[in-house]
Amino acid sequence: MNRPFGILVLVILVIWFVPGRAQTLEDMNQFRWQRKKPVIDSIKIEGNHYFSDGKIKSVLFSKRTNIIRAIKADRARRIQRETIMRDTSEVKYLYLSEGFLGIRIKENFVPLPPDSNAMVKIRIDEGRQFFYGTTNFTGHYNRGMFQSDFTKIMKDFKIGNPEKPVNPFNLRQAAYDIKSVLANKGFPYAIAEFNIDTSLSHNFGDITFHIESDSLVHFGNVLITGASNFRPSLVQRELAFKTGDVYRRDDIIESQKRLLNTGYYLTLRLSSMDPDTVSMMKRLNPEFILSLKEREPHYVSIKTGAAQDSIKDLIWSLSGSWGKRNFLRSRLLELTAQTSFVIFSEWRLMEHSYRIRITEPWFLGIRMPLTLTAQFEPGVRSLLQPYRKQTWFISITTTWYVNDRLKTVTGLQFENINIYGLSGEAEEQLRQEEGISVRRKLYINFVRDTRNSIFIPSRGSVTSLRYDYVGGFMGGDDSFYLLEGSWSRYQKIWPGWISATRFKGGFVQETRDGKPVPTDDRFYIGGANTVRGFSEGELSPESDLGNPVGADIIIIMNQEFRFPIIGKLWGSLFCDAGNGYRYRNDIKWNNLAVSYGAGIQFISPAGPIRLDYARRVRVKGIEPGYRYHFTILYAF
């Protein structure tokens, strides 16, 4: 090799190798620096126009360090291995939800002298924002059977609205809902996919759903495994489908719920065989395997506790139960003994009772659990209590689940109380002084609940109707009937805001030959859950001495608007109206109590914890004023 050629080769190697080597050293230094998890001093956003810097920073995993985050040792104040992935995912979700389908994001970390803290630098290329254009359905499916269902799914998409951006996540949910509709009408192998056409020059993206329904499927046989303590026939009767029925995914879910509600099983798994490994016949009539883990047929439970009593000092109670879950094949039998003692000030037995309960899960061959309960309380005689009060009662209760949203509860309670050790006159005086009365009641409740959430419903309604018949032909010391009805409605009125409306009424009256309705059985209105701005029971009629005696008739109307403030903190605006009356002639529009106010709620795992401020409106007989209410759960 001659000298000029060697020099040329050396120059080429230097030009080729040194920058690469320098880049490798720079990358290694950057990697070592990031492994030290430097503190984030600043966050810089570039290229954003639609969202402000503050909005983007609010969704980032990365957080600028401060004293509070340093004390809490918050991981987000330092560079982490997952920082870029979490930051870019959150920002992409934010932009995609607003129709920026071509969003591109680049994030890097810049060392800051002199202490080598970090600056998070995010560069955003927003691209075009797209809105909903036309919606088309292609593929092979029965349009006459499904088109109306698909139209309902798409009704929330504002087609052609220049203020409603495309949201691919909502479209993905719509595709899932379309598959669910197909699966609930016999097509579990259906495919539903969507495509957004962004090739046009304008910003309206046409949406196309491609649907392949595949073949109609019927339920095959169910193979039950793990049933040893309880007969397989008990499983079969809880299934919401039979062999040969058209396949419905909801039937599978309902069957699983029913089996768990029996109380016989700890866990269960209902799965179909892999359609790719079975014949075409089995694919169209899939067999299912139901794997069960049963509870023990017998159980024992012991409970104990102590409570303070203003008269008897400290009371300690103890109860024990023995149960058999497969009594007479499928009935639940439970025997319970309970006793209470007065302790410390004196040691003596205060009361003891014995109860037997039998539950028939399928009454009259219908999935309508019936429970028969009998309890006997012998009573205890002592020097401080020279008489003995013996009580026994029998109750029958049945619950009929008409469907997932409607249930009825019917029951009969028959009670008897005997007092020994007193003369007839003394016994009558004791019954009046202590309010001892024999209660016999027949009742029925209807509840229809279509809410999408128990704690914070945003759609649906609750309708309830209650009727109690006490005494009458059944005998007993009290004789009256009570009717109470309520209707609540929940709906979204604009983004984030929920309208909640309730109407409630009640009526109680003694029978022709009965005594006045007991004070405890009348209605009491006013307070945090009825008409706010008043104390509990303040709106109920009073006796001549000024003591609340309860109302025979109540009317309640509530309107509330609920909205999120930040995080788990919500707010509300409300208006309440209502009153309690003794007689029908007292009901007038000008004597309805009216209040209005605002509240804040913290949404805890146990439900909303709320603080309400309500002001009373001046009406006939009611002076203006205000009141705070602090409680848990919404008023309705």
Side-chain angles (χ1 to χ4, degrees), residues 154-391:
M154 300 303 298
K155 69 178 182 179
D156 292 333
F157 296 95
K158 307 298 182 181
I159 305 301
N161 188 343
E163 298 181 357
K164 189 65 176 178
V166 169
N167 187 327
F169 304 104
N170 289 345
L171 290 172
R172 185 179 301 170
Q173 179 63 43
Y176 176 81
D177 293 339
I178 289 172
K179 290 182 64 175
S180 296
V181 169
L182 291 161
N184 281 316
K185 293 189 177 181
F187 299 92
Y189 305 126
I191 297 173
E193 300 172 338
F194 71 91
N195 178 65
I196 307 173
D197 186 1
T198 59
S199 62
L200 302 177
S201 58
H202 55 73
N203 288 352
F204 284 90
D206 294 337
I207 314 299
T208 301
F209 284 90
H210 183 75
I211 302 169
E212 296 292 341
S213 63
D214 207 311
S215 304
L216 181 65
V217 175
H218 294 77
F219 283 110
N221 297 322
V222 177
L223 176 63
I224 300 172
T225 63
S228 56
N229 297 325
F230 305 98
R231 297 186 179 184
S233 59
L234 303 183
V235 177
Q236 292 285 354
R237 73 181 185 183
E238 298 293 341
L239 297 179
F241 60 88
K242 301 187 297 293
T243 301
D245 287 350
V246 173
Y247 180 98
R248 293 181 70 250
R249 182 181 296 169
D250 285 349
D251 287 343
I252 295 177
I253 297 173
E254 177 64 20
S255 299
Q256 293 172 328
K257 288 169 55 178
R258 290 183 181 183
L259 287 166
L260 289 175
N261 287 337
T262 61
Y264 301 153
Y265 311 104
L266 287 170
T267 60
L268 59 91
R269 185 166 62 91
L270 181 61
S271 58
S272 61
M273 296 183 179
D274 187 353
D276 295 332
T277 62
V278 298
S279 64
M280 178 57 70
M281 182 60 68
K282 292 296 184 181
R283 185 175 183 271
L284 300 182
N285 294 271
E287 294 185 344
F288 287 83
I289 300 176
L290 179 58
S291 303
L292 303 169
K293 183 178 180 181
E294 298 178 322
R295 293 178 180 270
E296 292 295 328
H298 302 86
Y299 66 89
V300 175
S301 65
I302 298 176
K303 300 178 182 178
T304 187
Q308 188 71 36
D309 187 277
S310 59
I311 300 176
K312 303 179 179 64
D313 198 10
L314 194 64
I315 298 176
W316 177 53
S317 61
L318 174 67
S319 67
S321 299
W322 174 86
K324 181 177 175 61
R325 294 187 175 95
N326 57 355
F327 175 68
L328 297 179
R329 293 182 56 190
S330 63
R331 286 81 181 173
L332 172 64
L333 171 66
E334 184 178 79
L335 306 177
T336 303
Q338 181 174 347
T339 183
S340 299
F341 298 88
V342 178
I343 59 177
F344 294 145
S345 62
E346 57 176 313
W347 294 81
R348 68 176 181 85
L349 179 66
M350 190 176 73
E351 62 181 14
H352 57 114
S353 61
Y354 307 91
R355 183 181 68 204
I356 179 172
R357 176 174 293 168
I358 301 175
T359 300
E360 165 57 67
W362 280 67
F363 179 58
L364 299 178
I366 305 173
R367 189 174 168 270
M368 184 171 62
L370 181 140
T371 300
L372 173 64
T373 304
Q375 180 168 308
F376 177 66
E377 184 178 336
V380 178
R381 185 190 299 273
S382 71
L383 295 177
L384 298 177
Q385 185 176 301
Y387 61 89
R388 182 166 60 92
K389 182 177 69 173
Q390 178 179 287
T391 304

Side-chain angles (χ1 to χ4, degrees), residues 306-540:
Q308 188 71 36
D309 187 277
S310 59
I311 300 176
K312 303 179 179 64
D313 198 10
L314 194 64
I315 298 176
W316 177 53
S317 61
L318 174 67
S319 67
S321 299
W322 174 86
K324 181 177 175 61
R325 294 187 175 95
N326 57 355
F327 175 68
L328 297 179
R329 293 182 56 190
S330 63
R331 286 81 181 173
L332 172 64
L333 171 66
E334 184 178 79
L335 306 177
T336 303
Q338 181 174 347
T339 183
S340 299
F341 298 88
V342 178
I343 59 177
F344 294 145
S345 62
E346 57 176 313
W347 294 81
R348 68 176 181 85
L349 179 66
M350 190 176 73
E351 62 181 14
H352 57 114
S353 61
Y354 307 91
R355 183 181 68 204
I356 179 172
R357 176 174 293 168
I358 301 175
T359 300
E360 165 57 67
W362 280 67
F363 179 58
L364 299 178
I366 305 173
R367 189 174 168 270
M368 184 171 62
L370 181 140
T371 300
L372 173 64
T373 304
Q375 180 168 308
F376 177 66
E377 184 178 336
V380 178
R381 185 190 299 273
S382 71
L383 295 177
L384 298 177
Q385 185 176 301
Y387 61 89
R388 182 166 60 92
K389 182 177 69 173
Q390 178 179 287
T391 304
W392 62 268
F393 78 84
I394 297 175
S395 70
I396 301 175
T397 304
T398 183
T399 303
W400 180 27
Y401 296 93
V402 181
N403 52 47
D404 288 342
R405 303 183 182 278
L406 176 63
K407 71 174 181 179
T408 66
V409 180
T410 307
L412 173 65
Q413 296 179 356
F414 193 92
E415 181 185 48
N416 194 61
I417 300 175
N418 296 316
I419 299 177
Y420 302 99
L422 294 177
S423 63
E425 183 178 347
E427 178 182 339
E428 184 63 26
Q429 182 178 357
L430 177 67
R431 288 178 180 269
Q432 293 179 1
E433 290 177 352
E434 297 193 5
I436 301 173
S437 62
V438 175
R439 175 64 57 90
R440 290 154 191 185
K441 180 171 71 172
L442 175 67
Y443 63 90
I444 182 169
N445 298 336
F446 295 91
V447 179
R448 185 177 185 272
D449 190 346
T450 63
R451 293 175 296 176
N452 61 336
S453 170
I454 298 177
F455 292 147
I456 312 177
S458 59
R459 66 174 183 271
S461 64
V462 180
T463 305
S464 64
L465 184 64
R466 167 191 170 197
Y467 177 75
D468 292 355
Y469 182 84
V470 178
F473 67 90
M474 297 179 290
D477 296 329
D478 302 321
S479 186
F480 63 91
Y481 61 91
L482 178 148
L483 182 64
E484 183 179 53
S486 175
W487 178 81
S488 303
R489 172 69 174 171
Y490 310 90
Q491 55 187 335
K492 290 183 178 180
I493 51 176
W494 58 79
W497 285 65
I498 299 171
S499 170
T501 307
R502 177 178 70 172
F503 296 95
K504 184 176 182 178
F507 176 75
V508 61
Q509 182 176 338
E510 64 272 9
T511 56
R512 293 180 180 179
D513 56 346
K515 300 178 182 178
V517 179
T519 302
D520 292 342
D521 292 292
R522 290 195 171 103
F523 299 103
Y524 292 85
I525 183 174
N529 295 321
T530 53
V531 180
R532 284 160 282 196
F534 299 86
S535 60
E536 298 294 328
E538 184 178 348
L539 291 175
S540 303

Side-chain angles (χ1 to χ4, degrees), residues 8-19:
L8 178 61
V9 172
L10 180 61
V11 171
I12 293 174
L13 290 175
V14 170
I15 294 174
W16 181 267
F17 177 75
V18 172

